[in-house]
């Protein structure tokens, strides 16, 4: 069968990609999407562990379930923030949002 | 303990929840800021009155999801206090329009609930959820002035930073789950005591957990959102996020690190020392050159977090005592400072420090109170802030963290400069501002309460110390 | 009989207090108050003298201070020296105060003057009565203060103000020596009492040092050679002051101190020799200046210095009685001289002898007194000066110091010369400028008369005719008797000869051929003359060596204080501000800051980097992550 | 459906093992590829689509972990809700271009460096750690059990989630709603 | 417990201050009355204290001890002994006089007098606190009102001076805090009580003592001020209003010396012996350096300020000698310097009110116009240049004598300092009083009744102590004896 570590590696890769995206995307929505990747990476871990763990109480899956829910909620919040910033300053490009510095 | 039995232990939260919903609904008909505010306040009061009954003995609730011990009780009380004060401040805060006031209070109360859950949760799952809840709500509150560009910009920044750091924490939690096969802290701590865990993994885990928590506590290197968010947010909200989430963050930090992960002390002490020194130094040094008082207070709050961390680094009972007292004092004086800032900005419509020139002439009481709070932040005896530092340094010296202590005192000297600068403007400069508008009662009540707190906690701190003593009973060590 | 000696200083002090408080109201009567005060103390002094002759002595009053082991009691010392001085001082003091009524008649601060005079009287008498070094030091400074106040009494004149300051500081320099000397005595001999000095007969370098340091103090007060500069300037003060303080009493305090500690000095031979030679140098040096000076009071001042030097020689060679004897006689005739000069000045309002002349015709009494005094100081028998000076000379010879003897001889020659130069130029000949001398009022002339009597006869108490009553008296209670009482006629003859020679030269130069000769001499010895005329440039040298440098130093120091030390502090603050600027700048264009750093790690793209310009959330995140990564790496490398 | 496919392949002599492995790595590869597209693509619209595909890939991975329920939830919530939200927002904000490329290269490189570093650390950790591993193939968690534990052990988190969603929605409405001024 | 006289003395001023907070801003007269009454009452009580003080005893008297923070046994512990009683009297006296002296403060009187009274409470407390934490708290309390008093009512560069003073002293004292904590943990049982520490800390290792000593030194040296740390003083003195300069020079500087005498030396005697020589050398530097710098000043106040630097040097050499005479001298010197320099600053103020300048070169010949002023100025100057018969001499003499027993050379150098002191004081007198009258000053009036009333008591004390030093010494001698026996010093 497929060893546990391969799943984890997949998760790790997703995680890193997500981080990369968060750091490089100029578009606020793009950043949100990258964050989704990170959450998914975590989910993969959780589910993997719940499969391979010795007490099959399904905690991992449930956790993942909650994470998905949280993801939904936070996406909602994030997007509404994006919209409001767009309404105020007609852009969602992170590199144009810099009224407050130093 | 099963759900039905557990319910009565979370009555305060339930009270808040119910009243929050009532407010939400009633706000469809009533849009009176003060009326709703007073209702929310009464809810808080009711909750805090009920709080002691809800906690008799240390127990675990909801199948070990929550633990109800004196430590959590302490922080629940703090959270309620903060919420109450913030409601008072919001009632007096002009920027906050009455249009969405119902939703505002609803979110605030939910935030309070989240804080109370976070400080008592005994399970990484619960910790994650409640922290997320706090975060989401604070993002929304920060961006609450929807037509204010700064506000929504702050909200977005806050969101992005928070989402990422909690994401990292989540990943860390998933790894922990992988390591121990559970997210129940009590079980984990047994496992940790058993030992045999690879150093690197541990480090990674600690860091990933820290990422989430130091975002909440604004510790270096997760501090950079602070000034922008503090500046952009409605000042009442700034006051809230500068103490509420921070206190919660520290609560969780303490619970995890001094209780569950304490056997790994050797692994994290160096790390924490580093973070602590960096945090206070960066905060203080940058604060010197700030011109906006909210930003200045933001950096100062970073620095204050650094001092608090000393208590954690020391890791002894007295260190714990110090940090708890410090948090108490910090809540009092920081809220107070922001309260005064609100009072001033209400009348002069500015947060620039230069515009505070000659405030004493126009508004002696406020400037007096603000100076008291600032002096307390400097750490001038016999104000509360001094005893915070005193206890923390005591702990540091006791366990021979001499350099840390010296770093601390040097920092507090540097800090004196920028706090005194505000005082200088208020008292030593000639006023430029026009006459100030009349002040709202709730604000003054709030600030008065806080100042009384600062003075009392400074002059007669025995009861507070005893309270804290009891609150850290669970500590191993 | 009861102890009243300790009351002697009290009455003048009371007079001082009264005058200071209500002086300006009672105005004229303040003089009477002072005179009353000093008269009472005169009576008391005589009483004390008698009482002493009846054979009782010192006594202590009350505990005053506790210094470690020593508990210091205030007491009075009653011995020949003190009694003699007491009588002399109070007599002269009283007379001069009477004289001052006339002299200071129309001065605005009349009462203040008498207040100061009384203060001086009380502290001078206290000084004489002090039975230990610390009390002595206190009164020592006290008289110093009075001299300061009185020298700069006419402080509207800047020169007067300066002179006072100069006097105080110069003497203070000596006093520091005195203080350290006292310290050494306290720690090496564990005493501050004069009575215990007798026990310190053993010669030890430390005690020698102590003696020399004490002599520093004495030199300061008595204007001995290196520290003499203040006395001539002190003549800025009113003439009675010069008479009382800077001729008769205070300046004699130095000599008194040496005499007082004579046992100590005589035990330390080297110290004693120092005293003698310093005295010698001073004597001849001052006398030489006096010969060419043209200010009547300054001439007298220099003569005072030289006479004090004379006394020092006397003491230095071990002539205790000789020194003290001359001290007494000198007090009288020098006071007399000053008072005469005063009355001359009072009448013709100038001090430059070149403007005077022929005063005698108008001022018989003054002139007469003047002449008497001059004869006395020149040492013409049978005037008082003769006996005491002769005593000293013979003592020098007997102790075998030919060199010092020569000096003394020359000095006495010069003394006679410059005194009579003065006499001839002032009293006789024709007025050289428009002056209208007139005799001074009774209140001034009477004291002159009395003093003249003293100047003539007081010498006899030490003369063979009264077979050296004074010497016998002065040795009462003293252990050893070093000096022989038989007169040395050779020396007598020699000194008289020299004195008359001096007078002769003066006559030759200034009467016979109306000061043509002086010009010629001057022309021949131009260099010597200018040097001497400028007082050997001592003041200039001091100015160059000490005063200017010290002022420069202080300026420097204060600049240093502002610049460096304070600068350092501000520097730190400045560094902090800069630091904060820098770090907030880093915070600002954080990418520049940090990414530069990374770039150095990566070693790439530094050029593009510098152009990147953000301050945005992603940057913050980047930093956060970078921090995280760094920490991990550190830990990884760590272990 | 899976089982049918596997049956078919079996008939052509490809072993059960191999097929599973091959398909898994294929899916994983695709997922990662599209994940990369998500962070790299220029057009934000496309990005949304790629995200959807990635999500689907992950859902498939869940299948390999015997978490059918989660796979379904994943598809429903993510693709059904979240991605749709994204697309709506993109339309609302109508800011397609991803900003100028100038000065971005460096950020990209640095970020790449950081994330790669992280990746390698993670790899090292994952490989060298001895995870609590039981023999695979213990019976999968069946749905009823999940439901039960949701209702019992995890009742509180469940409530909290609902609270969070409520708060989020309320807040979103307040802030997202357009003001007419 | 009997009548809590210490508490009353310390907190009467504060009570007055709180009362002032509730009086209307307009009613200046009432405010002044309250302030005067409060300080006056404190003065009276301290006189009562003087009369009831048993100066044969070397132990603490009028002790008051309450538990303040039992958990880390910090206690509210007050009391006086020979060391502190003089300073308490000095403080109450100067506070009272300076309070009268501040009647001509013309702006923001309400704040002024409130802060003023707070200040005097802080100072008094510092001298009688017997618990290190209490000591520290009161010590720090002094900072804040001082900051405002300089910063608001000060001269042109007041803000700079104020913040400089604040940061400087804070930096010093914060290290003192660490020292206090170190004491707490090195002592068994853990305690902050100075008295208990007095018994226990003999056990401390030398190295530990040295560390703690340095920590405290930083705190005290800034206040004294010792040579490199003195530069806050000229600025603060010059900028501060007259009454505040009086308190600065008269009392605040003493807090440093008192700290050495109360904490550093008795509690860390080995370290004290270890540092004796450097201490003495620094003292000499203070004396000579301060004097030299003072000579160059043209600003009257600055000159006096530097003269205090010089005078505090005597305190240091006296302490360093650790001999009965020396320490007695040092303590007496603190008292005398407080009186004399306080008077000096008053006199400067008198002149400043009339001339609105302190430039010495702008005066001259005032002796004619202002005879009373001249008399007083002369008396205080002479006292401060150490003229025998006035108080300054006794203490300087004793300090020098004591230190001569230990360090001959340094003592001799500092004796030379006396000459310089005489120099610049006389130079000052000459420039102010003597010489031809500067006609710009012709309109000056002599001192007013109030000014004379303020200065008279000081002058009386100066003369009294000068003539009969035992009057002051008797209070402290027994205590100092015990002190020396404790730390093991010489007789002289």
């Amino acid at each position: 069968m497929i060893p546990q570590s391969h799943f984890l590696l997949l998760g790790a890769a997703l995680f890193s990609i997500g981080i990369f995206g968060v750091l490089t995307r100029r578009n606020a929505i793009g950043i949100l999407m990258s964050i989704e990747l990170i959450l998914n990476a975590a989910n993969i871990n959780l589910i993997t562990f719940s499969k391979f763990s010795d007490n099959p109480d399904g905690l991992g899956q449930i956790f993942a379930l909650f994470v998905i829910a949280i993801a939904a909620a936070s996406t909602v919040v994030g997007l509404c923030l994006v919209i409001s910033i767009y309404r105020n300053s007609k852009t969602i490009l992170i590199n144009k949002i810099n009224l407050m510095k130093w | 303990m099963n759900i039905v039995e557990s319910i009565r232990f979370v009555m305060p939260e339930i009270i808040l929840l119910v009243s929050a919903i009532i407010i939400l609904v009633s706000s469809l008909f009533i849009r009176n800021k003060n009326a709703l505010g007073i209702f929310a306040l009464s809810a808080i009061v009711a909750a805090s009155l009920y709080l002691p009954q809800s906690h008799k003995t240390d127990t675990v609730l909801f199948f070990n999801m929550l633990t109800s011990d004196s430590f959590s009780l302490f922080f629940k009380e703090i959270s309620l206090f903060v919420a109450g004060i913030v409601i008072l401040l919001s009632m007096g805060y002009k920027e906050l329009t009455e249009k969405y006031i119902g939703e505002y209070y609803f979110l605030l109360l939910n935030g309070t609930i989240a804080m109370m859950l976070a400080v008592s949760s005994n399970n990484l799952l619960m910790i994650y959820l409640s922290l997320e809840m706090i975060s989401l709500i604070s993002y929304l509150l920060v961006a609450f002035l929807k037509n204010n560009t700064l506000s929504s910009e702050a909200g977005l920044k806050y969101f992005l930073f928070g989402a990422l750091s909690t994401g990292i924490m989540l990943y860390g939690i998933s790894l922990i789950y992988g390591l121990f096969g559970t997210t129940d802290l009590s079980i984990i701590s047994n496992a940790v005591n058993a030992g045999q865990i690879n150093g690197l993994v541990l480090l990674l885990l600690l860091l990933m957990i820290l990422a989430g928590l130091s975002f909440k506590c604004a510790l270096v290197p997760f501090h950079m959102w602070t000034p922008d968010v503090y500046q952009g947010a409605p000042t009442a909200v700034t006051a809230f996020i500068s103490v509420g989430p921070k206190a919660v963050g520290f609560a969780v930090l303490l619970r995890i690190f001094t209780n569950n992960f304490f056997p790994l002390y050797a692994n994290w002490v160096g790390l924490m020392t580093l973070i602590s020194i960096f945090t206070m130094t960066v905060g203080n040094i940058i604060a010197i050159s700030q011109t906006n008082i909210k930003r200045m207070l933001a950096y100062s709050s970073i620095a204050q977090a650094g001092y608090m961390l000393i208590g954690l680094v020391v890791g002894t009972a007295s260190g714990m005592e110090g940090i708890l007292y410090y948090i108490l004092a910090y809540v009092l004086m920081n809220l107070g400072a922001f309260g005064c800032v609100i009072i001033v900005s209400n009348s002069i419509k500015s947060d620039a420090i230069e515009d505070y020139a000659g405030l004493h002439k126009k508004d002696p009481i406020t400037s007096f109170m603000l100076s008291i709070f600032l002096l307390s932040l400097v750490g001038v005896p016999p104000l509360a802030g001094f005893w915070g530092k005193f206890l923390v340094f005591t702990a540091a010296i006791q366990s021979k963290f001499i350099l840390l202590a010296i770093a601390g005192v040097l920092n507090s000297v540097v800090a004196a400069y920028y706090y005194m600068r505000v005082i200088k403007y208020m008292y030593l400069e000639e006023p430029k501002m026009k006459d100030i508008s009349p002040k709202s009662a709730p604000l003054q009540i709030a600030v008065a309460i806080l100042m009384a707190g600062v003075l009392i906690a400074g002059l007669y701190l025995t009861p507070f110390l005893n309270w804290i003593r009891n609150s850290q009973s669970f500590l191993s060590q | 009989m009861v102890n009243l000696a300790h009351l002697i200083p009290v009455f003048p002090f009371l007079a001082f207090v009264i005058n200071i408080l209500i002086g300006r109201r009672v105005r004229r009567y303040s003089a009477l108050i002072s005179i009353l005060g000093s008269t009472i103390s005169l009576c008391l002094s005589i009483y004390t003298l008698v009482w002493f002759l009846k054979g009782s002595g010192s006594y202590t009053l009350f505990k005053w201070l506790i210094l470690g082991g020593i508990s210091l009691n205030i007491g009075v010392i009653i011995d020949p020296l003190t009694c003699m001085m007491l009588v002399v001082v109070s007599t002269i003091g009283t007379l001069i105060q009477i004289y001052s009524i006339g002299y200071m008649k129309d001065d605005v601060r009349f009462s203040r003057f008498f207040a100061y005079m009384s203060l001086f009287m009380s502290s001078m008498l206290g000084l004489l009565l002090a039975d230990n070094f610390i009390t002595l030091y206190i009164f020592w400074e006290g008289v110093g203060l009075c001299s300061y106040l009185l020298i700069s009494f006419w402080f509207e004149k800047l020169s007067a103000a300066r002179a006072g300051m100069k006097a105080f500081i110069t003497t203070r320099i000596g006093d520091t020596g005195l203080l350290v000397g006292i310290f050494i005595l306290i720690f090496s001999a564990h005493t501050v009492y004069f009575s215990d000095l007798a026990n310190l007969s053993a010669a030890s370098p430390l005690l020698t040092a102590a003696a020399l340091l004490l002599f520093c103090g004495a030199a300061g007060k008595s204007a001995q050679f290196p520290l003499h500069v203040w006395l001539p300037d002190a003549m800025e003060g009113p003439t009675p002051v010069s008479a009382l303080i800077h001729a008769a009493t205070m300046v004699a305090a130095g000599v008194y101190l040496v005499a007082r500690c004579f046992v100590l000095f005589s035990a330390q031979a080297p110290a004693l020799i120092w005293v003698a030679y310093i005295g010698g140098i001073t004597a001849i040096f001052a006398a030489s200046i006096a010969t060419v000076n043209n200010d009547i009071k300054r001439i007298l001042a220099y003569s005072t210095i030289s006479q004090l030097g004379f006394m020092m020689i006397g003491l230095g060679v071990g002539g205790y009685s000789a020194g003290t004897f001359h001290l007494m006689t000198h007090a009288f005739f020098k006071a007399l001289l000053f008072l005469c000069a005063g009355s001359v000045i009072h009448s013709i309002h100038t001090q430059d002898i070149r403007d005077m002349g022929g005063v005698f015709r108008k001022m018989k009494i003054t002139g007469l007194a003047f002449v008497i005094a001059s004869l006395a100081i020149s040492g013409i028998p049978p005037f008082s000066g003769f006996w005491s000076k002769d005593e000293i000379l013979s003592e020098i010879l007997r102790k075998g110091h030919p060199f010092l003897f020569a000096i003394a001889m020359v000095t006495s020659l010069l003394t006679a010369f410059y005194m009579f130069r003065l006499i001839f130029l002032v009293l006789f000949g024709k007025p050289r400028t428009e002056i209208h001398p007139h005799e001074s009022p009774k209140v001034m002339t009477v004291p002159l008369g009395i003093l003249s009597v003293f100047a003539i006869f007081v010498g006899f108490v030490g003369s063979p005719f009264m077979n050296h009553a004074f010497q016998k008296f002065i040795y009462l209670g003293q252990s050893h008797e070093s000096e022989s009482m038989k007169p040395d006629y050779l020396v007598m003859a020699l000194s008289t000869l020299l004195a008359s020679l001096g007078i002769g030269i003066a006559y030759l130069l200034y009467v016979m051929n109306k000061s043509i000769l002086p010009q010629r001499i001057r022309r021949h010895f131009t260099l010597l003359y200018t040097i001497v005329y400028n007082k050997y440039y001592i003041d200039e040298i001091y100015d160059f060596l000490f005063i200017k440098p010290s002022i420069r130093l202080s300026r420097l120091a204060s600049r240093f204080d502002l610049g460096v030390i304070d600068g350092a502090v501000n520097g730190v603050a400045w560094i902090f501000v800069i630091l904060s600027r820098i770090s907030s700048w880093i915070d600002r264009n954080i990418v520049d800051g940090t990414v530069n750093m990374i770039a150095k790690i990566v070693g790439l793209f530094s050029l593009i980097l510098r152009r990147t310009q953000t301050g945005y959330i992603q940057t913050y995140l980047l930093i956060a992550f970078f921090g995280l990564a760094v920490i991990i790496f550190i830990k990884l490398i760590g272990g | 459906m899976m089982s049918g496919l596997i049956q078919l392949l079996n008939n052509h002599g490809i072993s059960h093992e191999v097929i599973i492995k091959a398909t898994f790595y294929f899916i994983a590869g695709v997922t990662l590829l599209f994940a990369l597209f998500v962070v790299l693509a220029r057009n934000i619209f496309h990005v949304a689509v790629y995200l959807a595909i990635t999500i689907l890939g992950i859902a498939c991975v869940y299948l390999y972990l015997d978490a059918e329920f989660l796979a379904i939830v994943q598809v429903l919530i993510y693709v059904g809700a979240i991605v749709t939200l994204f697309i709506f927002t993109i339309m609302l904000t109508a800011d397609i271009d991803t900003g100028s490329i100038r000065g971005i290269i460096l950020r990209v490189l640095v970020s790449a460096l950081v994330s790669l570093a992280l990746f390698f650390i993670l790899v090292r950790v994952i490989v060298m750690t001895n995870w609590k591993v039981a023999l695979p193939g213990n019976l999968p968690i069946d749905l009823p059990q999940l439901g039960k534990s949701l209702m019992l052990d995890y009742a509180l988190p469940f409530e909290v989630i609902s609270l969070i969603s409520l708060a989020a929605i309320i807040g979103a409405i307040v802030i997202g709603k357009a003001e007419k001024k | 417990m009997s009548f809590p006289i210490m508490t009353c003395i310390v907190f009467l001023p504060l009570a007055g201050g709180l009362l002032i907070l509730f009086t209307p801003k307009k009613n200046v007269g009432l405010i002044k009355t309250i302030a005067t009454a409060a300080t006056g009452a404190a003065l009276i009580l301290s006189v009562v204290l003087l009369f009831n003080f048993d100066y044969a005893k070397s132990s603490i008297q009028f002790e008051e001890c309450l538990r303040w923070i039992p958990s880390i046994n910090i206690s509210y512990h007050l009391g006086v002994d020979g060391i502190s009683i003089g300073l308490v009297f000095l403080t109450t006296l100067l506070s009272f006089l300076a309070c009268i002296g501040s009647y001509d403060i013309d702006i923001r009187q309400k704040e002024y007098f409130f802060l003023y009274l707070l200040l005097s409470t802080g100072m008094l407390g510092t001298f009688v606190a017997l618990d290190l934490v209490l000591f520290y708290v009161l010590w720090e309390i002094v900072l804040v009102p001082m900051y405002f008093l300089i910063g608001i009512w000060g001269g042109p560069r007041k803000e700079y001076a104020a913040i400089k003073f604040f940061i400087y002293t804070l930096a010093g004292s914060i290290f003192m805090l660490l020292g206090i904590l170190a004491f707490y943990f090195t002592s068994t049982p853990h305690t902050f009580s100075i008295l208990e520490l007095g018994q226990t800390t003999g056990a401390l290792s030398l190295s530990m003592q040295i560390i703690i000593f340095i920590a405290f030194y930083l705190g005290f040296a800034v206040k004294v001020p010792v040579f490199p740390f003195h530069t806050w003083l000229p600025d603060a003195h010059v900028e501060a209003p007259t009454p505040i300069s009086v308190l600065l020079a008269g009392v605040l500087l003493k807090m440093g010396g008192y700290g050495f005498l109360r904490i550093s030396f008795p509690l860390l005697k080995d370290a004290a012996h270890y540092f004796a020589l450097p201490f003495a050398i620094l003292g000499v530097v203070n004396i000579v350096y301060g004097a030299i710098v003072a000579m160059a000043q043209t600003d009257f106040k600055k000159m006096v300020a530097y003269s205090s630097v010089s005078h505090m040097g005597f305190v240091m050499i006296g302490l360093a000698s650790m001999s009965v005479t020396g320490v007695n001298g040092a303590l007496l010197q603190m008292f005398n310097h407080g009186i004399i320099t306080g008077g000096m600053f008053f006199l400067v103020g008198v002149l400043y009110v009339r001339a609105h300048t302190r430039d010495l070169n702008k005066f001259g010949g005032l002796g004619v116009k202002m005879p009373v002023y001249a008399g007083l100025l002369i008396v205080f100057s002479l006292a401060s240049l150490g003229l025998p018969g006035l108080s300054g001499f006794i203490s300087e003499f004793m300090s020098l004598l004591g230190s001569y027993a230990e360090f001959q050379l340094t003592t001799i150098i500092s004796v030379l300092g006396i000459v310089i002191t005489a120099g610049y004081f006389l130079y000052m007198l000459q420039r102010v009083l003597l010489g031809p009258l500067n006609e710009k000053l012709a309109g000056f009036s002599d001192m007013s009744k109030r000014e004379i009333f303020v200065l008279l008591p000081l002058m009386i004390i100066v003369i009294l102590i000068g003539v009969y030093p035992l009057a002051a010494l008797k209070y402290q001698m027994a205590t100092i004896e015990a002190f020396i026996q404790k730390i093991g010093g010489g007789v002289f």
Side-chain angles (χ1 to χ4, degrees), chain C residues 1-3 47-57 59 78:
Chain C
M1 295 167 76
V2 284
N3 307 338
Y47 168 85
T48 315
L49 175 58
V50 175
W51 183 62
F52 169 70
L53 290 173
K54 285 238 177 71
S56 36
Y59 57 91
I78 310 276

Side-chain angles (χ1 to χ4, degrees), chain A residues 15-27 30-32 34-35 38 94, chain B residues 160-161 164 168, chain C residues 591 598 614 616-626 629, chain D residues 39 103-116 118:
Chain A
F15 183 72
S16 320
I17 294 173
I19 300 267
F20 178 76
V22 171
L23 296 180
T24 50
R25 272 291 174 199
R26 315 315 272 328
N27 188 319
I31 297 177
L32 287 181
S34 319
I35 288 172
I38 294 174
I94 284 301
Chain B
L160 293 176
F161 209 109
L164 185 59
I168 298 166
Chain C
V591 167
I598 305 162
T614 62
Y616 313 105
I617 185 72
Q618 279 176 314
T619 328
Y620 300 167
L621 293 169
L622 192 55
I623 300 308
F625 265 98
F626 190 71
Chain D
V39 297
I104 198 173
I105 301 146
L106 231 187
R107 170 189 300 286
V108 170
L109 280 165
V110 173
S111 318
L113 195 85
V114 170
S115 27
L116 275 179
L118 241 118

